[in-house]
C-alpha cells in the first residue's frame, strides 16, 4: 500500500503539493517512487528558478532504474527554489517522498487552481487503493 | 488469479514490493535495487526463483531426445554436470534459453517462467518421435539462488557436505539441514553461488535457516536480478533473445555445437554461410544517460544502425549500460553509437562488470 497524506493536493500524474500560505512545496508521491523503483537522477534545469510556469507545464523529468517519467507542475506560479540536496542525492525521493524528498517550491499565482487537483481520497481512488 | 511461489509469505514478511511477473506474484525488491545488487556483488543475496519452469525428461533414449532438442551437447556432460543451452525452432529462432542438468536416469531442464507452457508443448510435439517421459515438476519443486562471494561459506554452515567439491556448473544431491536437495554451482549474476532445488514443503524452513545463519544475507528481488544479469551481458528471453533472433547473432555460439544434430541446425548453418546481418553488443553510456529497451541506435551520420534490447543504470559500474543489436558492419568494439537524443555510447567488451567472483578456473561447458 502506498502512503497518501491527507493534508496534500495531488495530480493525476502523481505529483503532490503542500500549501503553506501562498507557497507550494511540490514532490512526487509514495506511489510514484514505488512505481519508479530506485531513482537515479532528477533532470531539472537550475535555470527554472525565477521562471513563471503554468499548471500542467513540464518542469523536468525523473530517471529511475525501471523507467523514466516527466514531472508536471500542479499549479501556476514562480519557481522559487529547487531542492539541491535531492538533486545531489536523488534516492531521498524513494526514502522520504513527502518530506526530505521535496523537489521544488513555487509562489502560487492563483489558489483557485487548487480546486482542479485531487484530494487524498480522490488520489487513493486514482491509484486504486481507496 | 495470480500464482504464488511457496516463499510468498516470506516475501511479505520481509516487506517486499510485489509485482505481477508473467502471472506470478514476485518480489521486485525488498529495500532497494541498489542495496540488493551491491549485496550480491560484495557479500551475498538470496533470490526466490521458484517461478522458473522445471521439466524432467526420462525414459528410453532420453539423452538422444534432449540432445536433439537443444543446441549444446548433452553427451559431453559428466553425471551431475549442467550446461546452458538454447532450444530452437526449425528456422533457427529461439524458443527459449535454459539450463540442463545431466542427472542419473534423467535430465532436468530449467526454463523461463514466461515460456513454461510454450516450451512444454514444444517439447511434447518433438517428443512424438521419441516417446520419452516428460514431466513438469515446476509446482512441486521450489528453487532458490544464493549468490555472492560468501555463498559457499553461508551454505556450508547448514550441511556436512563439502561444497567446495562442487565445481562451476556441477551439481550434487546433498542434505541441507536434513532436507535432501539438488545443489548446483550455478546462477545468473556473475558471482559465485548456488541454486537449490527441493520439495516445496520445506520452503520456509530453508529460507529461515539461511537468514538465521547470516544476518547480513540480503533478500533480493527481480529488479536486482535483472540488473546483475545485464551487468554481465547475459541475455534475457523476451528482450535480448526471442523467436526472431538466432543464437549466433545473440553471441550464444558457445552453446551451439555443430558436431551433432539438433533442431534448427540446418537454418543456423545457412545463416552462418550467408553471414550475420547484426550482432548483440554491449554499450556503455555516461552516468546520466539511461538507455531503455526499444530505443534506436544511430551512427555519427545519424543513420539507423540498430536498437537496444535491454538497458538500465548499473549500480555496479555506475553508468548507463545496454545490450542491443547493431549492424554487423558497425559492431566493432570502440565504435561510438548515439541515441535519438544524440547521447553518445560506446560499444564495449562484455561483461560490463569485470570483478565477478564466478569460479572462472572451472571451465564452463
Amino acid at each position: 500500500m502506498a502512503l497518501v497524506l491527507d493534508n496534500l493536493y495531488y495530480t493525476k500524474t502523481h505529483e503532490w503539493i503542500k500549501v503553506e500560505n501562498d507557497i507550494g512545496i511540490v514532490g512526487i508521491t509514495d506511489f510514484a517512487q514505488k512505481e519508479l523503483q530506485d531513482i537515479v537522477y532528477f533532470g531539472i534545469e537550475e535555470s527554472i528558478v525565477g521562471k513563471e510556469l503554468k499548471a500542467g507545464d513540464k518542469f523536468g523529468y525523473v530517471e529511475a532504474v525501471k523507467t523514466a517519467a516527466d514531472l508536471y507542475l500542479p499549479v501556476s506560479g514562480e519557481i522559487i527554489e529547487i531542492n539541491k540536496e535531492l538533486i545531489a542525492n536523488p534516492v531521498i525521493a524513494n526514502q522520504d517522498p513527502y518530506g526530505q524528498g521535496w523537489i521544488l517550491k513555487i509562489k502560487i499565482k492563483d489558489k483557485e487552481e487548487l480546486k482542479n487537483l485531487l484530494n487524498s481520497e480522490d488520489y487513493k481512488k486514482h491509484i486504486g487503493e481507496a | 488469479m495470480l500464482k504464488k511461489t511457496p516463499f510468498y509469505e516470506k516475501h511479505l514478511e520481509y516487506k517486499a514490493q510485489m509485482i505481477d511477473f508473467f502471472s506470478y506474484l514476485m518480489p521486485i525488491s525488498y529495500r532497494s535495487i541498489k542495496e540488493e545488487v551491491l549485496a550480491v556483488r560484495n557479500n551475498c543475496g538470496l533470490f526466490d526463483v521458484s517461478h522458473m519452469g522445471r521439466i524432467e525428461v526420462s525414459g528410453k533414449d532420453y539423452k538422444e531426445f534432449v540432445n536433439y532438442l537443444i543446441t549444446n551437447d548433452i553427451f559431453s556432460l559428466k553425471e551431475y554436470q549442467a550446461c546452458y543451452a538454447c532450444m530452437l525452432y526449425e528456422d533457427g529462432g529461439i524458443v527459449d534459453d535454459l539450463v540442463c542438468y545431466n542427472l542419473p536416469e534423467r535430465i532436468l531442464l530449467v526454463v523461463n517462467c514466461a515460456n513454461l507452457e510454450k516450451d512444454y508443448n514444444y517439447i511434447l510435439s518433438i517428443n512424438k518421435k521419441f516417446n520419452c517421459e516428460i514431466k513438469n515438476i515446476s509446482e512441486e519443486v521450489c528453487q532458490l539462488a544464493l549468490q555472492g562471494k560468501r555463498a559457499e561459506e553461508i551454505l556450508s554452515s547448514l550441511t556436512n557436505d563439502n561444497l567446495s567439491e562442487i565445481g562451476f556448473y556441477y551439481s550434487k544431491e546433498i542434505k541441507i539441514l536434513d532436507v535432501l536437495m539438488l545443489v548446483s554451482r550455478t546462477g545468473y549474476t556473475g558471482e559465485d553461488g548456488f541454486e537449490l532445488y527441493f520439495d516445496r514443503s520445506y520452503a520456509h524452513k530453508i529460507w529461515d535457516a539461511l537468514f538465521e545463519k547470516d544476518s547480513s544475507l540480503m533478500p533480493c528481488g527481480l529488479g536486482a536480478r535483472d540488473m546483475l544479469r545485464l551487468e554481465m551481458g547475459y541475455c534475457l528471453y523476451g528482450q535480448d533473445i526471442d523467436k526472431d533472433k538466432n543464437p549466433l547473432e545473440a553471441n550464444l555460439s558457445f552453446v551451439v555445437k555443430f558436431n551433432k544434430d539438433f533442431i534448427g541446425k540446418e537454418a543456423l548453418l545457412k545463416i552462418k554461410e550467408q553471414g550475420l546481418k547484426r550482432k548483440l553488443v554491449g554499450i556503455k553510456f555516461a552516468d546520466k544517460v539511461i538507455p531503455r529497451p526499444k530505443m534506436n541506435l544511430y551512427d555519427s551520420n545519424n543513420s539507423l544502425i540498430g536498437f537496444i534490447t535491454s538497458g538500465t543504470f548499473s549500480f555496479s559500474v555506475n553508468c548507463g549500460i545496454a545490450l542491443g543489436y547493431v549492424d554487423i558492419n558497425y559492431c566493432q568494439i570502440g565504435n561510438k553509437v548515439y541515441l535519438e537524443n544524440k547521447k553518445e555510447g560506446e560499444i564495449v567488451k562484455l561483461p560490463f562488470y569485470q570483478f565477478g567472483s564466478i569460479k572462472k578456473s572451472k571451465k564452463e561447458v
Side-chain angles (χ1 to χ4, degrees):
Chain A
M1 289 294 274
L3 184 65
V4 178
L5 301 185
D6 285 341
N7 57 339
L8 309 175
Y9 295 92
Y10 297 89
T11 64
K12 286 186 174 169
T13 49
H14 311 289
E15 290 86 8
W16 55 263
I17 182 166
K18 184 180 183 182
V19 181
E20 292 178 347
N21 301 321
D22 60 349
I23 302 294
I25 304 169
V26 175
I28 57 167
T29 64
D30 188 45
F31 175 83
Q33 72 82 13
K34 280 195 162 117
E35 281 295 299
L36 288 163
Q37 292 288 318
D38 297 37
I39 292 168
V40 180
Y41 68 91
F42 283 90
I44 301 170
E45 299 292 334
E46 290 263 348
S47 60
I48 68 165
V49 175
K51 280 210 174 105
E52 283 275 347
L53 296 175
K54 285 194 181 64
D57 278 358
K58 179 183 162 183
F59 67 84
Y61 60 94
V62 52
E63 283 269 13
V65 165
K66 212 165 94 180
T67 185
D70 287 334
L71 301 164
Y72 301 98
L73 268 190
V75 292
S76 309
E78 183 196 338
I79 310 294
I80 52 176
E81 192 185 343
I82 296 176
N83 184 355
K84 288 201 172 74
E85 302 258 313
L86 179 73
I87 304 297
N89 191 10
V91 75
I92 301 172
N94 287 118
Q95 295 158 346
D96 188 12
Y98 298 117
Q100 300 293 312
W102 65 274
I103 300 173
L104 57 76
K105 291 181 182 169
I106 180 169
K107 195 168 188 311
I108 301 171
K109 193 175 170 182
D110 178 6
K111 282 203 172 170
E112 283 296 302
E113 283 185 349
L114 294 166
K115 290 179 181 162
N116 305 329
L117 299 172
L118 307 173
N119 64 24
S120 60
E121 284 310 306
D122 294 337
Y123 184 67
K124 276 181 193 162
K125 279 188 198 128
H126 177 60
I127 59 174
E129 292 190 5
Chain B
M1 182 64 190
L2 289 175
K3 289 185 276 194
K4 295 168 183 172
T5 77
F7 299 98
Y8 174 74
E9 293 78 11
K10 291 291 156 195
H11 300 318
L12 298 189
E13 188 186 320
Y14 282 67
K15 300 199 165 37
Q17 191 187 338
M18 306 299 284
I19 54 156
D20 171 359
F21 186 77
F22 297 106
S23 82
Y24 266 94
L25 261 174
M26 293 299 289
I28 181 86
S29 78
Y30 299 80
R31 294 232 291 263
S32 79
I33 292 172
K34 185 176 188 174
E35 278 179 82
E36 292 162 28
V37 163
L38 297 181
V40 172
R41 290 282 177 240
N42 303 316
N43 184 37
C44 199
L46 186 72
F47 300 81
D48 172 14
V49 279
S50 305
H51 62 305
M52 304 284 280
R54 289 163 291 274
I55 299 169
E56 268 192 350
V57 184
S58 60
K60 190 176 173 296
D61 296 335
Y62 73 97
K63 276 193 186 175
E64 283 77 6
F65 169 58
V66 174
N67 218 38
Y68 177 62
L69 193 67
I70 67 164
T71 55
N72 213 331
D73 186 8
I74 288 290
F75 288 98
S76 69
L77 298 179
K78 297 190 177 78
E79 197 168 61
Y80 284 108
Q81 197 176 4
C83 70
Y84 176 65
C86 289
M87 185 160 63
L88 305 181
Y89 292 105
E90 284 291 355
D91 69 356
I94 302 171
V95 182
D96 206 355
D97 63 329
L98 47 120
V99 176
C100 311
Y101 290 83
N102 181 28
L103 303 175
E105 311 293 313
R106 69 197 189 279
I107 284 174
L108 169 65
L109 305 173
V110 181
V111 303
N112 281 299
C113 146
N115 294 338
L116 174 59
E117 201 179 333
K118 176 188 79 175
D119 290 355
Y120 186 70
N121 291 331
Y122 188 69
I123 291 168
L124 289 185
S125 71
I126 308 298
N127 189 40
K128 284 179 182 145
K129 289 185 213 156
F130 287 85
N131 248 329
C132 292
E133 214 170 303
I134 315 291
K135 214 164 128 200
N136 176 6
I137 59 162
S138 309
E139 286 298 321
E140 56 259 43
V141 176
C142 64
Q143 186 179 343
L144 287 173
L146 184 69
Q147 300 285 297
K149 58 183 66 152
R150 290 187 56 243
E152 185 178 306
E153 176 198 334
I154 293 168
L155 197 57
S156 289
S157 64
L158 297 173
T159 181
N160 297 323
D161 261 84
N162 183 359
L163 296 175
S164 65
E165 286 173 3
I166 304 176
F168 183 55
Y169 262 75
Y170 278 84
S171 64
K172 202 174 174 185
E173 285 176 284
I174 58 172
K175 279 188 174 169
I176 301 288
L177 291 173
D178 49 9
V179 180
L180 188 67
M181 59 177 76
L182 182 72
V183 175
S184 65
R185 198 165 213 130
T186 50
Y188 214 54
T189 60
E191 298 299 327
D192 189 23
F194 298 90
E195 289 184 286
L196 318 176
Y197 300 85
F198 55 98
D199 188 288
R200 68 177 293 150
S201 58
Y202 302 109
H204 291 194
K205 177 180 176 167
I206 297 296
W207 174 281
D208 288 340
L210 285 163
F211 284 102
E212 268 162 36
K213 275 288 165 200
D214 192 283
S215 59
S216 71
L217 179 62
M218 180 78 71
C220 297
L222 294 178
R225 188 173 166 81
D226 188 48
M227 188 176 294
L228 289 157
R229 68 94 195 166
L230 185 50
E231 288 173 345
M232 298 309 294
Y234 298 159
C235 289
L236 175 64
Y237 194 92
Q239 283 185 208
D240 312 301
I241 48 177
D242 54 40
K243 67 177 176 45
D244 304 315
K245 319 272 188 323
N246 68 66
L248 306 181
E249 62 190 4
N251 284 327
L252 298 174
S253 301
F254 73 100
V255 299
V256 179
K257 302 292 190 280
F258 284 108
N259 57 359
K260 54 149 225 170
D261 199 19
F262 61 88
I263 304 169
K265 180 180 174 179
E266 294 311 309
L268 287 193
L269 285 171
K270 200 173 264 181
I271 289 166
K272 219 173 154 169
E273 193 187 329
Q274 290 169 343
L276 295 177
K277 292 185 175 63
R278 60 186 183 184
K279 217 167 170 56
L280 189 69
V281 297
I283 307 159
K284 217 169 173 172
F285 291 86
D287 64 349
K288 288 270 169 87
V289 182
I290 308 185
R292 308 280 181 192
K294 298 197 176 88
M295 282 182 173
N296 281 331
L297 294 166
Y298 303 86
D299 66 8
S300 55
N301 302 322
N302 220 7
S303 304
L304 187 66
I305 49 155
F307 57 95
I308 284 172
T309 50
S310 286
T312 191
F313 180 88
S314 157
F315 291 124
S316 303
V317 289
N318 265 316
C319 64
I321 58 171
L323 286 175
Y325 285 92
V326 169
D327 188 289
I328 198 74
N329 300 313
Y330 199 82
C331 65
Q332 294 78 5
I333 286 169
N335 278 357
K336 301 277 190 266
V337 298
Y338 300 86
L339 299 175
E340 195 99 44
N341 60 10
K342 304 282 185 281
K343 298 281 190 208
E344 184 183 272
E346 185 183 319
I347 298 176
V348 297
K349 190 170 173 290
L350 292 168
F352 295 105
Y353 180 75
Q354 307 275 354
F355 311 106
S357 57
I358 219 165
K359 295 272 187 290
K360 292 196 183 71
S361 55
K362 316 274 189 192
K363 202 174 156 301
E364 191 178 345
V365 178

